Amino acid sequence: IKYVNWGPNDKYLYAGGSDSTIRYYDITTMKEKGIISIGSLTISQRPTSKVRLKTLGHFGAITDILPIQSQKILATSGMDGKICIWDIPSHQFKKEFLGHNKGVYSLDWSEYNHENSCLLSAGFDHDVK
């Protein structure tokens, strides 16, 4: 669960689920605002191969949610070994990163300046990328 104040009218609480979705709630109204997911695929339609996961979002439990305010993006990690980047304020899928052999445990952002910044990930494969 992460709270993010994107702006005066955009204060959200993000919650990652075991069903590969990220729900977000408007803090000012205390109502669910939307769901970030792969779309309308049912569990039985979801591919299991990493090769087939390209550009579809997560297919496993969400393990971390990292808002990166300077970039206006939300980074998420999951047990599927993927890191997904979501555009803010549209909450639309932007890109993904593959590289961990197992699930991704946590994310962090290091920003020295706009040109020297990086996304860090720690995985259950004992690798940091």
Side-chain angles (χ1 to χ4, degrees):
I1 296 176
K2 291 286 166 80
Y3 166 75
V4 186
N5 183 352
W6 295 110
N9 299 319
D10 296 320
K11 297 175 183 168
Y12 297 127
L13 181 68
Y14 292 90
S18 60
D19 61 352
S20 74
T21 62
I22 301 116
R23 295 178 184 275
Y24 59 104
Y25 303 86
D26 186 327
I27 295 299
T28 56
T29 64
M30 301 301 283
K31 304 254 186 219
E32 183 175 299
K33 187 80 170 168
I35 299 174
I36 302 171
S37 71
I38 60 169
S40 60
L41 293 181
T42 65
I43 297 291
S44 62
Q45 294 172 315
R46 294 179 181 180
T48 56
S49 167
K50 279 190 180 182
V51 174
R52 295 171 62 201
L53 293 180
K54 204 71 177 142
T55 70
L56 293 175
H58 289 289
F59 286 95
I62 305 300
T63 55
D64 200 6
I65 300 171
L66 179 68
I68 305 172
Q69 294 196 358
S70 64
Q71 305 291 316
K72 297 270 192 243
I73 59 174
L74 190 72
T76 58
S77 62
M79 289 302 293
D80 54 7
K82 294 169 63 171
I83 298 166
C84 293
I85 305 298
W86 308 90
D87 179 60
I88 301 299
S90 71
H91 292 99
Q92 295 297 309
F93 178 83
K94 256 183 119 163
K95 67 170 74 171
E96 69 184 13
F97 298 103
L98 298 173
H100 286 281
N101 294 325
K102 297 182 180 180
V104 179
Y105 180 73
S106 68
L107 299 170
D108 204 356
W109 177 254
S110 175
E111 185 167 357
Y112 179 71
N113 58 38
H114 191 68
E115 295 173 2
N116 297 310
S117 54
C118 64
L119 179 63
L120 303 162
S121 63
F124 287 102
D125 54 8
H126 304 285
D127 287 342
V128 174
K129 298 186 183 281

